Amino acid sequence: KAAAKNKLSYEIDWLGVPAIQTPEDLILVQELIYKIKPDFVIETGIAHGGGLIFYASILELLGKGKVIGIDIEIREHNRKVMEAHPLFKRIEMLEGSSVSEEIIQEIRKRIPKGSKVIVFLDSDHTKPHVLRELELYQEFIIPGCYIVVFDTNTSDIDFAIIGRKDKLLRLEEFERMLNRKININFYESFKEIQKNLKNNILNGIVLKGTVEL
């Protein structure tokens, strides 16, 4: 919340190019890329291009992979900066709507069947557009790979509570105030939680108490 309020993401450059992501998201993204070691990373919504440079830098360290960036308008200045960057050898940019048939056809030409692909959706954040992107880009995802939706600031609010559920919690009033669905998950012990979920909880915000590892 504080990062969004103070526009922290607009202060972050990656290897000289504005990335418009929070440091926490960049850390989690590199973790995912290293885990999957994809053949292709697709990002919808290029902006200045720092995100593409970030993905390309991880792929360069892995010694494999290509980044495909899509934007409805790639500004000339941003294009020149990207094309002059030493990591542009791992990047290709496509101009057009991320949900247009033309763009989807261009991606199909570039990605062989069975490739490991991670898709990052970071363009138009309206519900109809993101839903359409999810429908279209799922064809590039094989088991074990991911589509990641950025800037989900209208998504559900999830709480993890370590301890007993002693009384019924009425959340309807708060859900109306926030215009968000609130989910509360109770766990008797932190140690019993599955590893990936545990990591997500640790990367969240602690409202009260401490966690014994």
Side-chain angles (χ1 to χ4, degrees), residues 13 35 54 56 78 95 100 120 132 140-141 152-153 161 176 213:
D13 288 2
K35 173 186 174 183
F54 178 77
N78 293 336
E95 188 169 59
S100 69
F120 295 104
R132 184 59 180 151
F140 303 109
I141 303 300
T152 53
N153 58 358
I161 297 178
R176 285 195 299 271
L213 300 177

Side-chain angles (χ1 to χ4, degrees), residues 7-22 26 43 45-55 77-79 81-82 85 122:
K7 296 187 176 181
L8 175 61
S9 62
Y10 288 87
E11 302 294 327
I12 305 300
D13 288 2
W14 189 260
L15 299 180
V17 183
I20 316 184
Q21 295 291 350
T22 63
L26 292 175
E43 180 175 66
I46 293 173
H48 295 285
L52 303 187
I53 297 296
F54 178 77
Y55 310 139
H77 170 72
N78 293 336
R79 184 185 292 276
V81 169
M82 293 293 292
H85 200 282
D122 199 13

Side-chain angles (χ1 to χ4, degrees), residues 111-161:
I111 298 182
K113 294 285 187 182
S115 298
K116 291 195 290 185
V117 179
I118 300 175
V119 178
F120 295 104
L121 303 180
D122 199 13
S123 58
D124 181 343
H125 300 295
T126 60
K127 180 179 178 179
H129 187 86
V130 174
L131 182 60
R132 184 59 180 151
E133 284 183 323
L134 289 169
E135 291 169 346
L136 290 170
Y137 287 85
Q138 65 176 326
E139 76 168 82
F140 303 109
I141 303 300
I142 62 173
C145 294
Y146 294 85
I147 298 179
V148 178
V149 182
F150 282 127
D151 296 340
T152 53
N153 58 358
T154 57
S155 63
D156 294 355
I157 299 173
D158 298 301
F159 289 94
I161 297 178

Side-chain angles (χ1 to χ4, degrees), residues 156-174:
D156 294 355
I157 299 173
D158 298 301
F159 289 94
I161 297 178
I162 312 301
R164 295 180 305 169
K165 182 178 180 181
D166 293 325
K167 62 180 180 180
L168 179 66
L169 299 174
R170 303 192 66 85
L171 304 172
E172 294 84 356
E173 179 181 352
F174 299 100

